[in-house]
């Protein structure tokens, strides 16, 4: 799964990664030659973040104690232009969408 970030200065970035094999002795069940032996056999190794030159809308979600929030972020030339609240949980404070 890719993880994207909206930086403090409004850029969209992501953290590229590679999957590498975990040595058998570092796995949860190093002596098992069956299915259990595969548990923990791969790990994610992240590289430095890279900017994404995206233009368009991205919808994303956040969970609060009272439910899910839905947002829409508009990017122009790789920069955040605005964020809108599309849906909010019923019991949320008075934050108006749009």
């Amino acid at each position: 799964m890719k993880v994207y970030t909206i930086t403090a200065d409004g850029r969209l970035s992501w953290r590229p990664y590679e999957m590498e094999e975990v040595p058998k002795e570092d796995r949860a069940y190093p002596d098992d030659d069956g299915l259990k032996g595969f548990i923990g056999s791969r790990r994610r190794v992240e590289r430095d973040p890279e900017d994404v030159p995206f233009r368009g809308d991205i919808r994303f979600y956040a969970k609060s104690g009272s439910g899910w929030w839905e947002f829409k972020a508009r990017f122009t030339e790789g920069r955040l232009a605005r964020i809108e609240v599309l849906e909010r949980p019923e019991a949320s404070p008075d934050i108006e969408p749009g």
Side-chain angles (χ1 to χ4, degrees):
M1 173 166 33
K2 292 182 182 177
V3 176
Y4 291 89
T5 301
I6 301 172
T7 65
D9 62 348
R11 294 174 293 111
L12 183 66
S13 69
W14 81 294
R15 193 174 277 276
Y17 66 91
E18 296 173 6
M19 298 301 290
E20 72 177 18
E21 186 170 353
V22 174
K24 194 161 177 108
E25 61 272 9
D26 293 342
R27 297 179 194 175
Y29 301 96
D31 298 325
D32 191 294
D33 290 328
L35 275 175
K36 285 173 75 175
F38 284 106
I39 295 173
S41 64
R42 308 277 295 160
R43 73 174 145 227
R44 180 177 169 136
V45 179
E46 295 185 344
R47 298 191 313 246
D48 291 336
E50 294 179 2
D51 286 349
V52 178
F54 181 75
R55 169 185 274 171
D57 295 335
I58 295 176
R59 289 180 184 231
F60 61 97
Y61 305 87
K63 175 97 168 99
S64 74
S66 57
W68 287 94
W69 290 73
E70 180 180 10
F71 301 90
K72 179 172 75 171
R74 164 77 41 97
F75 288 87
T76 306
E77 304 300 326
R79 291 275 196 204
L80 180 66
R82 70 176 180 264
I83 295 179
E84 299 175 50
V85 178
L86 299 179
E87 275 190 48
R88 65 175 185 255
E90 291 298 320
S92 296
D94 292 296
I95 298 176
E96 291 301 317

